[in-house]
Coordinates of all heavy atoms in Angstrom, one line a residue:
M263 N 0.8 -1.2 0.0 CA 0.0 0.0 0.0 C 0.9 1.2 0.0 O 1.8 1.3 0.7 CB -0.9 0.0 1.2 CG -1.6 1.3 1.4 SD -3.1 1.3 2.4 CE -4.2 0.6 1.2
P264 N 0.6 2.2 -0.8 CA 1.3 3.4 -0.9 C 1.1 4.3 0.4 O 0.2 4.1 1.1 CB 0.8 4.2 -2.1 CG -0.2 3.3 -2.7 CD -0.4 2.1 -1.8
Y265 N 2.1 5.2 0.6 CA 2.0 6.2 1.7 C 2.2 7.6 1.2 O 2.8 7.8 0.1 CB 3.2 5.9 2.7 CG 2.9 4.6 3.5 CD1 3.3 3.4 3.0 CD2 2.4 4.7 4.8 CE1 3.1 2.2 3.8 CE2 2.2 3.6 5.6 CZ 2.5 2.4 5.0 OH 2.3 1.2 5.8
A266 N 1.7 8.5 2.0 CA 1.9 9.9 1.6 C 2.0 10.8 2.8 O 1.7 10.3 3.9 CB 0.7 10.4 0.7
L267 N 2.3 12.0 2.7 CA 2.4 13.0 3.7 C 1.1 13.7 3.8 O 0.5 14.2 2.8 CB 3.5 14.0 3.5 CG 3.9 15.0 4.5 CD1 4.4 14.3 5.8 CD2 4.9 16.0 4.0
F268 N 0.6 13.8 5.1 CA -0.7 14.5 5.3 C -0.5 15.6 6.3 O 0.4 15.6 7.2 CB -1.7 13.5 5.9 CG -2.2 12.5 4.9 CD1 -1.4 11.4 4.6 CD2 -3.5 12.6 4.4 CE1 -1.9 10.4 3.7 CE2 -4.0 11.7 3.5 CZ -3.2 10.6 3.1
C269 N -1.4 16.6 6.2 CA -1.4 17.7 7.2 C -2.9 17.9 7.5 O -3.7 18.2 6.5 CB -0.7 18.9 6.7 SG -0.7 20.3 8.0
N270 N -3.3 17.8 8.7 CA -4.7 17.9 9.1 C -5.6 17.1 8.2 O -6.6 17.6 7.7 CB -5.1 19.4 9.1 CG -4.4 20.3 10.1 OD1 -4.1 19.8 11.2 ND2 -4.0 21.4 9.6
D271 N -5.2 15.8 8.0 CA -6.0 14.8 7.3 C -6.1 15.1 5.8 O -6.8 14.4 5.1 CB -7.4 14.6 7.9 CG -7.3 14.0 9.2 OD1 -6.5 13.1 9.4 OD2 -8.2 14.3 10.1
A272 N -5.4 16.1 5.3 CA -5.4 16.4 3.8 C -4.0 15.9 3.3 O -3.0 16.2 3.8 CB -5.5 17.9 3.6
Q273 N -4.1 15.1 2.2 CA -2.9 14.6 1.6 C -2.2 15.8 0.9 O -2.7 16.5 0.1 CB -3.2 13.5 0.6 CG -2.0 12.9 -0.1 CD -2.3 11.7 -1.0 OE1 -3.4 11.1 -0.8 NE2 -1.4 11.5 -1.9
I274 N -0.9 16.0 1.2 CA -0.1 17.1 0.7 C 1.1 16.7 -0.2 O 1.8 17.5 -0.6 CB 0.3 18.1 1.8 CG1 1.2 17.4 2.8 CG2 -0.9 18.7 2.4 CD1 1.9 18.4 3.8
S275 N 1.2 15.3 -0.3 CA 2.3 14.9 -1.2 C 1.8 13.8 -2.1 O 0.7 13.3 -2.0 CB 3.5 14.2 -0.3 OG 3.1 13.0 0.1
K276 N 2.6 13.5 -3.1 CA 2.3 12.4 -4.0 C 2.4 11.1 -3.2 O 2.9 11.1 -2.1 CB 3.3 12.3 -5.1 CG 3.3 13.5 -6.0 CD 4.4 13.4 -7.1 CE 4.4 14.6 -8.0 NZ 5.5 14.5 -9.0
A277 N 1.8 10.0 -3.7 CA 1.9 8.7 -3.1 C 3.3 8.1 -3.4 O 3.8 8.2 -4.5 CB 0.8 7.8 -3.6
Y278 N 3.9 7.4 -2.4 CA 5.2 6.7 -2.6 C 5.0 5.3 -2.2 O 4.1 5.0 -1.3 CB 6.2 7.4 -1.8 CG 6.6 8.8 -2.3 CD1 5.9 9.9 -1.9 CD2 7.6 9.0 -3.2 CE1 6.1 11.2 -2.4 CE2 7.9 10.2 -3.8 CZ 7.1 11.3 -3.4 OH 7.4 12.6 -3.9
P279 N 5.8 4.4 -2.7 CA 5.7 3.0 -2.4 C 5.8 2.6 -0.9 O 5.1 1.7 -0.5 CB 6.8 2.3 -3.2 CG 7.4 3.3 -4.1 CD 6.9 4.6 -3.6
G280 N 6.6 3.2 -0.2 CA 6.8 2.9 1.2 C 6.8 4.0 2.1 O 7.1 5.2 1.7
E281 N 6.6 3.8 3.4 CA 6.7 4.8 4.4 C 8.0 5.5 4.5 O 8.1 6.7 4.7 CB 6.3 4.2 5.8 CG 6.1 5.2 6.9 CD 5.6 4.5 8.2 OE1 5.4 3.3 8.2 OE2 5.5 5.3 9.1
S282 N 9.1 4.7 4.3 CA 10.4 5.3 4.4 C 10.7 6.3 3.3 O 11.4 7.2 3.5 CB 11.5 4.1 4.4 OG 11.5 3.5 3.1
D283 N 10.1 6.1 2.2 CA 10.2 7.0 1.1 C 9.6 8.4 1.4 O 10.2 9.4 1.1 CB 9.5 6.5 -0.2 CG 10.0 5.2 -0.6 OD1 11.2 5.0 -0.7 OD2 9.2 4.3 -0.9
V284 N 8.5 8.4 2.2 CA 7.9 9.6 2.6 C 8.7 10.3 3.7 O 8.8 11.5 3.7 CB 6.4 9.4 3.0 CG1 5.7 10.7 3.4 CG2 5.6 8.7 1.9
W285 N 9.3 9.5 4.6 CA 10.2 10.1 5.6 C 11.3 10.8 4.9 O 11.7 11.9 5.4 CB 10.8 9.0 6.5 CG 9.9 8.6 7.7 CD1 9.1 7.6 7.8 CD2 9.7 9.4 8.8 NE1 8.4 7.6 9.0 CE2 8.7 8.8 9.7 CE3 10.2 10.7 9.3 CZ2 8.3 9.3 10.9 CZ3 9.7 11.2 10.5 CH2 8.8 10.5 11.3
K286 N 11.9 10.2 3.9 CA 13.0 10.9 3.1 C 12.5 12.2 2.6 O 13.2 13.3 2.6 CB 13.5 10.0 2.0 CG 14.3 8.8 2.5 CD 14.7 7.9 1.4 CE 15.3 6.6 1.8 NZ 15.5 5.7 0.7
L287 N 11.3 12.2 2.0 CA 10.8 13.5 1.4 C 10.6 14.5 2.5 O 10.9 15.7 2.4 CB 9.4 13.2 0.7 CG 8.6 14.4 0.3 CD1 9.2 15.1 -0.9 CD2 7.2 13.9 0.0
A288 N 10.0 14.1 3.6 CA 9.8 15.0 4.8 C 11.1 15.6 5.3 O 11.2 16.7 5.6 CB 9.0 14.3 5.9
Q289 N 12.1 14.7 5.4 CA 13.4 15.1 5.8 C 14.0 16.2 4.9 O 14.5 17.3 5.4 CB 14.4 13.9 5.9 CG 15.8 14.3 6.4 CD 15.8 14.6 7.9 OE1 15.2 13.9 8.6 NE2 16.6 15.6 8.2
R290 N 14.0 16.0 3.6 CA 14.5 17.0 2.7 C 13.7 18.3 2.7 O 14.2 19.3 2.4 CB 14.4 16.4 1.2 CG 15.5 15.4 1.0 CD 15.7 15.1 -0.5 NE 14.5 14.7 -1.2 CZ 14.1 13.5 -1.4 NH1 14.8 12.5 -1.0 NH2 12.9 13.2 -2.0
S291 N 12.4 18.2 3.1 CA 11.6 19.4 3.1 C 11.7 20.1 4.5 O 11.0 21.1 4.7 CB 10.1 18.9 2.9 OG 9.9 18.3 1.6
G292 N 12.5 19.6 5.4 CA 12.6 20.2 6.7 C 11.5 20.0 7.7 O 11.3 20.8 8.6
L293 N 10.7 18.9 7.5 CA 9.6 18.7 8.3 C 9.9 17.7 9.4 O 9.0 17.4 10.2 CB 8.4 18.2 7.5 CG 7.9 19.1 6.4 CD1 6.9 18.4 5.6 CD2 7.4 20.4 7.0
V294 N 11.1 17.2 9.5 CA 11.5 16.2 10.5 C 12.3 16.9 11.6 O 13.2 17.6 11.3 CB 12.2 15.0 9.9 CG1 12.7 14.0 11.0 CG2 11.4 14.3 8.8
V295 N 11.9 16.7 12.8 CA 12.7 17.2 13.9 C 13.1 16.1 14.9 O 12.4 15.0 15.0 CB 11.9 18.3 14.7 CG1 11.6 19.5 13.9 CG2 10.6 17.7 15.3
D296 N 14.2 16.2 15.6 CA 14.6 15.3 16.6 C 14.1 15.8 17.9 O 14.3 17.0 18.2 CB 16.2 15.1 16.6 CG 16.7 14.4 15.4 OD1 15.9 13.6 14.8 OD2 17.9 14.6 15.0
V297 N 13.6 14.9 18.7 CA 13.2 15.2 20.0 C 14.1 14.5 21.0 O 14.6 13.4 20.7 CB 11.7 14.9 20.3 CG1 10.8 15.8 19.4 CG2 11.4 13.5 20.1
S298 N 14.1 15.0 22.2 CA 15.0 14.4 23.2 C 14.5 13.0 23.6 O 13.3 12.6 23.3 CB 15.0 15.2 24.5 OG 13.7 15.3 25.0
T299 N 15.3 12.2 24.2 CA 15.0 10.8 24.5 C 14.0 10.8 25.6 O 13.8 11.7 26.4 CB 16.3 10.1 25.0 OG1 16.8 10.7 26.1 CG2 17.3 10.1 23.9
D300 N 13.3 9.7 25.7 CA 12.5 9.4 26.8 C 13.0 8.2 27.5 O 14.0 7.6 27.1 CB 11.0 9.3 26.4 CG 10.8 8.2 25.5 OD1 11.5 7.2 25.4 OD2 9.8 8.2 24.7
E301 N 12.5 7.8 28.6 CA 13.0 6.8 29.4 C 12.9 5.4 28.7 O 13.7 4.5 29.0 CB 12.3 6.7 30.8 CG 12.5 7.9 31.6 CD 11.5 8.0 32.8 OE1 10.7 7.1 33.0 OE2 11.6 9.0 33.5
Q302 N 12.1 5.2 27.8 CA 11.9 4.0 27.1 C 12.7 3.8 25.9 O 12.9 2.7 25.4 CB 10.4 3.8 26.8 CG 9.5 3.8 28.0 CD 8.0 3.8 27.6 OE1 7.7 3.9 26.5 NE2 7.2 3.6 28.6
R303 N 13.2 4.9 25.3 CA 14.0 4.8 24.1 C 15.3 5.5 24.2 O 15.3 6.7 24.5 CB 13.2 5.5 22.9 CG 12.0 4.8 22.6 CD 11.3 5.6 21.6 NE 10.9 4.9 20.4 CZ 10.3 5.4 19.3 NH1 10.1 6.6 19.3 NH2 10.0 4.6 18.3
P304 N 16.4 4.9 24.0 CA 17.7 5.6 24.0 C 17.9 6.4 22.8 O 17.5 6.0 21.7 CB 18.7 4.4 24.1 CG 18.0 3.3 23.4 CD 16.6 3.4 23.7
G305 N 18.6 7.5 22.9 CA 18.9 8.4 21.8 C 17.7 9.2 21.3 O 16.6 8.9 21.7
P306 N 18.0 10.2 20.5 CA 16.9 11.0 20.0 C 16.1 10.2 19.0 O 16.5 9.3 18.4 CB 17.7 12.1 19.2 CG 19.0 11.6 18.9 CD 19.3 10.6 20.0
R307 N 14.8 10.6 18.9 CA 13.9 10.0 17.9 C 13.4 11.1 17.0 O 13.3 12.2 17.4 CB 12.8 9.2 18.6 CG 11.9 10.1 19.5 CD 10.9 9.2 20.2 NE 10.2 10.0 21.1 CZ 9.0 10.5 20.9 NH1 8.3 10.2 19.8 NH2 8.3 11.3 21.8
R308 N 13.1 10.7 15.8 CA 12.7 11.7 14.8 C 11.1 11.7 14.8 O 10.5 10.6 14.9 CB 13.3 11.5 13.5 CG 12.9 10.2 12.8 CD 13.7 10.0 11.5 NE 13.1 8.8 10.9 CZ 13.2 8.4 9.7 NH1 13.9 9.2 8.9 NH2 12.7 7.4 9.2
V309 N 10.6 12.9 14.7 CA 9.1 13.0 14.6 C 8.9 14.1 13.5 O 9.8 14.9 13.2 CB 8.5 13.4 15.9 CG1 8.6 12.3 17.0 CG2 9.1 14.7 16.4
L310 N 7.7 14.1 13.1 CA 7.3 15.2 12.1 C 6.9 16.4 12.8 O 6.2 16.4 13.9 CB 6.1 14.7 11.2 CG 6.5 13.5 10.3 CD1 5.2 12.9 9.7 CD2 7.5 13.9 9.3
D311 N 7.2 17.5 12.3 CA 6.9 18.9 12.8 C 5.4 19.1 12.7 O 4.7 18.6 11.9 CB 7.6 19.9 12.0 CG 7.8 21.2 12.7 OD1 7.5 21.3 13.9 OD2 8.1 22.2 12.1
N312 N 4.9 19.9 13.7 CA 3.5 20.3 13.7 C 2.5 19.2 13.5 O 2.5 18.2 14.2 CB 3.3 21.5 12.7 CG 4.1 22.7 13.1 OD1 4.2 23.0 14.3 ND2 4.6 23.4 12.2
D313 N 1.5 19.4 12.6 CA 0.4 18.5 12.4 C 0.7 17.5 11.2 O -0.3 17.0 10.7 CB -0.9 19.3 12.2 CG -1.3 20.1 13.4 OD1 -1.1 19.6 14.5 OD2 -1.8 21.2 13.2
Y314 N 1.9 17.3 10.9 CA 2.2 16.5 9.7 C 2.2 15.0 10.2 O 2.6 14.7 11.3 CB 3.6 16.8 9.1 CG 3.6 18.2 8.5 CD1 4.2 19.2 9.2 CD2 3.0 18.4 7.3 CE1 4.2 20.5 8.6 CE2 3.1 19.7 6.7 CZ 3.7 20.7 7.4 OH 3.7 21.9 6.8
E315 N 1.7 14.1 9.3 CA 1.6 12.7 9.5 C 2.0 12.0 8.2 O 1.7 12.5 7.1 CB 0.2 12.3 9.9 CG -0.3 12.9 11.2 CD -1.7 12.4 11.4 OE1 -2.6 13.0 10.9 OE2 -1.9 11.4 12.2
I316 N 2.5 10.7 8.4 CA 2.7 9.9 7.2 C 1.7 8.7 7.4 O 1.7 8.1 8.5 CB 4.1 9.3 7.2 CG1 5.1 10.5 6.9 CG2 4.2 8.2 6.1 CD1 6.5 10.1 7.1
K317 N 0.8 8.6 6.4 CA -0.2 7.6 6.5 C -0.4 6.8 5.2 O 0.0 7.3 4.1 CB -1.6 8.3 6.8 CG -1.6 9.0 8.1 CD -3.0 9.5 8.5 CE -3.7 10.4 7.6 NZ -4.9 11.0 8.2
P318 N -0.9 5.6 5.3 CA -1.2 4.9 4.0 C -2.3 5.7 3.3 O -3.1 6.4 3.8 CB -1.8 3.6 4.5 CG -1.5 3.5 6.0 CD -1.3 4.9 6.5
C319 N -2.3 5.5 1.9 CA -3.2 6.2 1.1 C -3.5 5.4 -0.2 O -2.8 4.4 -0.5 CB -2.7 7.6 0.7 SG -1.2 7.5 -0.3
Q320 N -4.4 5.8 -0.9 CA -4.7 5.3 -2.2 C -4.0 6.2 -3.3 O -4.1 7.4 -3.1 CB -6.2 5.3 -2.5 CG -6.9 4.3 -1.7 CD -6.6 2.9 -2.0 OE1 -6.3 2.5 -3.1 NE2 -6.6 2.0 -0.9
A321 N -3.3 5.6 -4.2 CA -2.7 6.4 -5.3 C -3.8 7.0 -6.1 O -4.8 6.4 -6.3 CB -1.7 5.6 -6.1
A322 N -3.6 8.2 -6.6 CA -4.6 8.8 -7.4 C -4.7 8.1 -8.8 O -3.7 7.4 -9.1 CB -4.2 10.3 -7.7
Q323 N -5.8 8.2 -9.4 CA -5.9 7.5 -10.7 C -4.8 7.9 -11.6 O -4.6 9.0 -11.9 CB -7.3 7.8 -11.3 CG -7.6 6.9 -12.5 CD -9.0 7.2 -13.0 OE1 -9.8 7.8 -12.4 NE2 -9.3 6.6 -14.1
G324 N -4.1 6.9 -12.2 CA -3.1 7.1 -13.1 C -1.7 7.5 -12.4 O -0.7 7.6 -13.1
E325 N -1.7 7.6 -11.1 CA -0.5 7.9 -10.4 C 0.3 6.6 -10.2 O -0.2 5.6 -9.8 CB -0.8 8.6 -9.1 CG 0.4 9.0 -8.3 CD 0.1 9.7 -7.0 OE1 -1.0 9.4 -6.4 OE2 0.9 10.5 -6.6
D326 N 1.6 6.7 -10.3 CA 2.5 5.5 -10.1 C 3.5 5.8 -9.0 O 4.4 6.6 -9.1 CB 3.3 5.2 -11.4 CG 4.2 4.0 -11.2 OD1 4.3 3.4 -10.2 OD2 4.9 3.7 -12.3
P327 N 3.2 5.3 -7.8 CA 4.1 5.6 -6.6 C 5.6 5.3 -6.9 O 6.5 6.0 -6.5 CB 3.5 4.7 -5.5 CG 2.1 4.5 -5.9 CD 2.1 4.5 -7.4
A328 N 5.9 4.2 -7.6 CA 7.3 3.9 -8.0 C 7.9 5.0 -8.8 O 9.1 5.3 -8.6 CB 7.3 2.5 -8.6
K329 N 7.1 5.5 -9.8 CA 7.7 6.6 -10.6 C 7.9 7.8 -9.7 O 8.9 8.6 -9.9 CB 6.7 6.9 -11.8 CG 7.2 8.0 -12.7 CD 6.3 8.2 -13.8 CE 6.8 9.3 -14.8 NZ 7.6 10.4 -14.3
N330 N 6.9 8.1 -8.8 CA 7.1 9.3 -7.9 C 8.4 9.1 -7.1 O 9.1 10.1 -7.0 CB 5.9 9.4 -7.0 CG 4.6 9.8 -7.7 OD1 4.7 10.3 -8.8 ND2 3.5 9.5 -7.0
K331 N 8.7 7.9 -6.6 CA 9.9 7.7 -5.9 C 11.1 7.9 -6.8 O 12.1 8.6 -6.4 CB 9.9 6.3 -5.4 CG 11.2 5.9 -4.6 CD 11.2 4.5 -4.1 CE 12.5 4.1 -3.5 NZ 12.6 2.8 -3.0
A332 N 11.1 7.4 -8.0 CA 12.3 7.5 -8.9 C 12.5 9.0 -9.3 O 13.6 9.5 -9.3 CB 12.0 6.7 -10.2
D333 N 11.4 9.7 -9.5 CA 11.5 11.2 -9.8 C 12.1 11.9 -8.6 O 12.9 12.8 -8.8 CB 10.1 11.7 -10.2 CG 9.6 11.2 -11.5 OD1 10.4 10.6 -12.3 OD2 8.4 11.4 -11.7
A334 N 11.7 11.6 -7.4 CA 12.2 12.3 -6.2 C 13.6 12.0 -6.0 O 14.4 12.9 -5.7 CB 11.4 11.9 -5.0
E335 N 14.1 10.8 -6.3 CA 15.5 10.4 -6.1 C 16.3 11.1 -7.2 O 17.4 11.6 -6.9 CB 15.7 8.9 -6.2 CG 15.1 8.2 -5.0 CD 15.1 6.7 -5.2 OE1 15.3 6.2 -6.3 OE2 14.9 6.0 -4.1
Q336 N 15.8 11.2 -8.4 CA 16.5 11.9 -9.5 C 16.7 13.4 -9.1 O 17.7 14.0 -9.3 CB 15.8 11.8 -10.8 CG 16.6 12.5 -11.9 CD 15.9 12.3 -13.3 OE1 14.8 11.7 -13.3 NE2 16.5 12.7 -14.3
E337 N 15.6 14.0 -8.6 CA 15.6 15.4 -8.2 C 16.6 15.7 -7.1 O 17.4 16.6 -7.1 CB 14.2 15.9 -7.8 CG 14.1 17.3 -7.5 CD 12.7 17.7 -7.1 OE1 11.8 17.4 -7.8 OE2 12.5 18.4 -6.0
S338 N 16.7 14.7 -6.2 CA 17.6 14.9 -5.0 C 19.0 14.8 -5.5 O 19.9 15.6 -5.1 CB 17.3 13.8 -4.0 OG 18.2 13.8 -3.0
R339 N 19.3 13.9 -6.5 CA 20.7 13.8 -7.0 C 21.1 15.1 -7.8 O 22.2 15.5 -7.7 CB 20.8 12.6 -8.0 CG 20.9 11.3 -7.2 CD 21.3 10.1 -8.2 NE 20.3 9.9 -9.2 CZ 19.2 9.1 -9.2 NH1 19.0 8.5 -8.0 NH2 18.4 9.0 -10.2
M340 N 20.1 15.6 -8.5 CA 20.4 16.9 -9.2 C 20.7 18.0 -8.3 O 21.6 18.8 -8.5 CB 19.2 17.2 -10.1 CG 19.1 16.3 -11.3 SD 17.6 16.6 -12.4 CE 18.0 18.3 -12.9
E341 N 20.0 18.1 -7.2 CA 20.2 19.1 -6.2 C 21.6 19.0 -5.6 O 22.3 20.0 -5.3 CB 19.1 19.1 -5.1 CG 17.8 19.6 -5.5 CD 16.7 19.4 -4.5 OE1 17.0 18.9 -3.3 OE2 15.6 19.7 -4.7
L342 N 22.0 17.7 -5.3 CA 23.3 17.5 -4.8 C 24.4 18.0 -5.8 O 25.4 18.5 -5.4 CB 23.5 16.0 -4.4 CG 22.8 15.6 -3.2 CD1 23.0 14.0 -3.0 CD2 23.4 16.3 -1.9
Q343 N 24.2 17.7 -7.0 CA 25.2 18.1 -8.0 C 25.3 19.6 -8.2 O 26.3 20.2 -8.3 CB 24.8 17.5 -9.4 CG 25.0 16.0 -9.5 CD 24.5 15.4 -10.8 OE1 23.9 16.1 -11.6 NE2 24.8 14.2 -11.0
L344 N 24.1 20.3 -8.1 CA 24.1 21.7 -8.2 C 24.8 22.4 -7.0 O 25.4 23.5 -7.1 CB 22.7 22.2 -8.3 CG 22.0 21.9 -9.7 CD1 20.6 22.4 -9.6 CD2 22.8 22.6 -10.8
S345 N 24.7 21.8 -5.8 CA 25.2 22.4 -4.6 C 26.7 22.1 -4.4 O 27.4 22.7 -3.6 CB 24.5 21.9 -3.3 OG 24.7 20.5 -3.2
S346 N 27.3 21.2 -5.3 CA 28.7 20.9 -5.2 C 29.6 21.9 -5.9 O 29.2 22.6 -6.7 CB 28.9 19.5 -5.8 OG 28.3 18.5 -5.1

C-alpha cells in the first residue's frame, strides 16, 4: 500500500511505495525534527513537525508511486550536483 504525507488529514504529497520514502521526502523538506530521549528509548527519535503525519493512502488514478519515488530520487541527485 502506498504512503503519503498528510497535514490535518489532507494529503499534501504524492503517493510513494513505502513509508520510508515519505520520511526521506519529509526530511528533505525540513519537516522532521529530533526530540529528546524518553526513558523507554535511548537516543533522539525523529518526529514530524506540527500536524504532519505519514499515513497509508490510495494512489490517485493514473499515479504511479514507484515513478514518484524515482522522480524524487533523481531530483535529489540533481540538487546535490548543483550544490557541489
Side-chain angles (χ1 to χ4, degrees):
M263 168 157 286
Y265 287 82
L267 185 63
F268 288 77
C269 184
N270 297 320
D271 292 324
Q273 183 175 336
I274 61 170
S275 76
K276 296 178 182 178
Y278 292 88
E281 187 175 359
S282 64
D283 302 314
V284 184
W285 274 105
K286 290 176 190 174
L287 170 70
Q289 179 73 44
R290 285 194 307 265
S291 300
L293 301 176
V294 177
V295 296
D296 289 333
V297 296
S298 61
T299 61
D300 58 28
E301 296 168 3
Q302 298 172 353
R303 296 173 127 182
R307 60 187 174 99
R308 60 185 190 163
V309 295
L310 293 171
D311 199 13
N312 294 324
D313 295 322
Y314 295 101
E315 298 177 274
I316 295 172
K317 301 192 294 191
C319 67
Q320 293 293 325
Q323 186 173 355
E325 182 179 30
D326 181 358
K329 182 177 180 332
N330 292 342
K331 177 182 177 181
D333 290 347
E335 289 173 348
Q336 181 179 5
E337 184 178 310
S338 179
R339 283 192 298 272
M340 289 177 60
E341 287 174 2
L342 286 173
Q343 290 175 351
L344 290 175
S345 66
S346 296

